[in-house]
Amino acid sequence: QGHLVESGGGSVQAGGSLRLACVVSGYTSSRMCMGWFRQAPGKEREGVAILYTYTNITLWANSVKGRFTVSQDNAKNTIYLQMHSLEPEDTAMYYCAAADSRLSGTCLTWDRTHYTAWGQGTQVTVSS
């Protein structure tokens, strides 16, 4: 069973940047589906980005495309979500999620039931 720990959240003004990190442990596969999701108060959890670590192909939510990027540091077992041009609408708890594509048979999906491990979340607050 995998274990994920997010960090890097905080409070910024609109237009600012933050970089979230997700440290991954308990997996040996190089074919991981790594998802970033977020949940604002009173709203459903939504997908932000999904990275297939084997090919670096990323699925993006339209609301963040062009402003956010995803990267991985295999030496540190860490996935990053770099967020630029932040907007108040980006305010949410951000979660990292993981699934081993060898077991799930698919990747790059927004279906939350697909992911077998979740982090505890890190709060991002953007003020106008």
Side-chain angles (χ1 to χ4, degrees):
Q1 183 69 22
H3 184 60
L4 309 177
V5 179
E6 305 97 332
S7 63
S11 297
V12 296
Q13 290 192 325
S17 299
L18 281 173
R19 187 177 76 160
L20 307 184
C22 173
V23 178
V24 184
S25 60
Y27 291 104
T28 59
S29 173
S30 63
R31 300 175 187 245
M32 296 296 296
C33 305
M34 298 302 304
W36 283 101
F37 291 77
R38 66 187 183 185
Q39 187 167 18
K43 294 190 177 181
E44 199 170 315
R45 191 171 298 190
E46 63 176 2
V48 174
I50 310 295
L51 170 69
Y52 181 38
T53 62
Y54 189 67
T55 61
N56 267 321
I57 292 176
T58 306
L59 176 67
W60 288 106
N62 288 334
S63 59
V64 306
K65 194 179 296 184
R67 298 188 296 122
F68 292 7
T69 60
V70 174
S71 61
Q72 55 178 319
D73 185 333
N74 293 328
K76 297 181 178 180
N77 293 324
T78 302
I79 306 293
Y80 298 100
L81 179 68
Q82 178 69 57
M83 307 184 292
H84 295 294
S85 302
L86 283 162
E87 304 168 352
E89 293 74 21
D90 295 316
T91 295
M93 184 73 78
Y94 283 70
Y95 298 91
C96 180
D100 186 339
S101 69
R102 299 173 307 169
L103 303 178
S104 65
T106 188
C107 197
L108 300 178
T109 175
W110 298 121
D111 182 358
R112 296 194 300 272
T113 64
H114 171 75
Y115 298 89
T116 55
W118 290 82
Q120 81 290 349
T122 186
Q123 178 67 38
V124 171
T125 302
V126 185
S127 58
S128 58

